[in-house]
Each structure stands twice: as structure tokens, then as C-alpha cells.
Amino acid sequence: MTRKLPALTPDNRAFWQGGAEGRLQMHHCNACARFFHPPAPICPRCLSLEVGPRAVSGRGKVLTYTVNHQAWRADLQLPYVVAIVGLADQEGLRFVSNIVGTEPDQVAIGMPVQVRFEQVEDVWLPLFERAA
């Protein structure tokens, strides 16, 4: 089974390829100084066109999670954890991803995490692992 990768566009290229330099890049509005995700050509808060990618720390904490035992894709090793991570850079900036490198029964709400990247062709998938 071939993994379906996101189509790269001018708006999302920095997000999907920032991992090549080890950076999680989120869109940022220069007018209202807010990060937002997913990337878009206009700020969803103030409707400014003054937006573009900017690196965030990649640090956060698990806000909620689920342990999945269903083999939805052949490339995922069971069980796996899907979590909503609250990024440390801005209140309310959230990201859905997998928690890796930690046994599912060791994941907890409030657990500090940091981003790491998995390269698949020309895309770097942001995943999160327990912070060191």
C-alpha cells in the first residue's frame, strides 16, 4: 500500500518541508501577530493578507489523545497514539499528530512533547515524542 502524501502548494510548502531543516513552520500573521494552522493565504482571525511561514519551537503538551488499535493503514504499527498537542508558542495553537517513541500506556494528558520529523519522499511529517 502506497502512502498518500499531501500535495505541496505555495501556501503549505514551508510546513511540509520545514522538517528538512528540523523546523516546524506554522503560518503567522504579521498584522495581528498570531500563528494559525492549517496554512492559508489569509489570516482567519483578522483577514490580513500579511501572512507567511515562521518557525515555532516545536514544544508543547498533550491536551488529549486516543490509542488506536484499528489497522486503518498498513504502514502504522498497532497500537498507535493520535493526540491533540497544544503548542507552547501561543495559547490555543493546536496540532493533531501521532505520539511516537513512547509506549501508548505511558502517554498522558499534560505530558511534555517535542516535534520530530519523518521524511517520506519530499515531505517531512511532523510527529511528537516525549520531551527530553
Side-chain angles (χ1 to χ4, degrees), residues 26-85:
M26 302 294 234
H27 253 49
H28 182 266
C29 177
N30 293 324
C32 69
R34 301 287 293 179
F35 287 101
F36 60 94
H37 185 75
I42 188 169
C43 176
R45 184 172 190 220
C46 73
L47 305 180
S48 172
L49 297 174
E50 297 178 44
V51 299
R54 185 178 290 180
V56 295
S57 69
R59 294 185 317 271
K61 65 180 177 179
V62 174
L63 299 178
T64 190
Y65 68 96
T66 185
V67 178
N68 201 322
H69 296 272
Q70 174 66 40
W72 297 107
R73 290 190 346 224
D75 62 327
L76 288 172
Q77 189 174 26
L78 296 176
Y80 61 94
V81 178
V82 177
I84 297 176
V85 173

Side-chain angles (χ1 to χ4, degrees), residues 24 26 37 56-66 81-100 107-116 126-131:
L24 179 59
M26 302 294 234
H37 185 75
V56 295
S57 69
R59 294 185 317 271
K61 65 180 177 179
V62 174
L63 299 178
T64 190
Y65 68 96
T66 185
V81 178
V82 177
I84 297 176
V85 173
L87 296 175
D89 305 86
Q90 175 182 290
E91 183 69 31
L93 183 59
R94 297 175 177 176
F95 192 79
V96 177
S97 186
N98 293 102
I99 304 295
V100 296
V107 175
I109 292 174
M111 183 176 85
V113 292
Q114 62 191 27
V115 73
R116 77 175 224 201
L127 307 169
F128 286 85
E129 61 189 357
R130 183 186 300 270

Side-chain angles (χ1 to χ4, degrees), residues 12-25 117 124:
N12 72 19
R13 185 174 302 278
F15 175 78
W16 291 115
Q17 294 187 325
E21 287 120 27
R23 294 190 311 230
L24 179 59
Q25 300 212 71
F117 297 94
W124 281 259

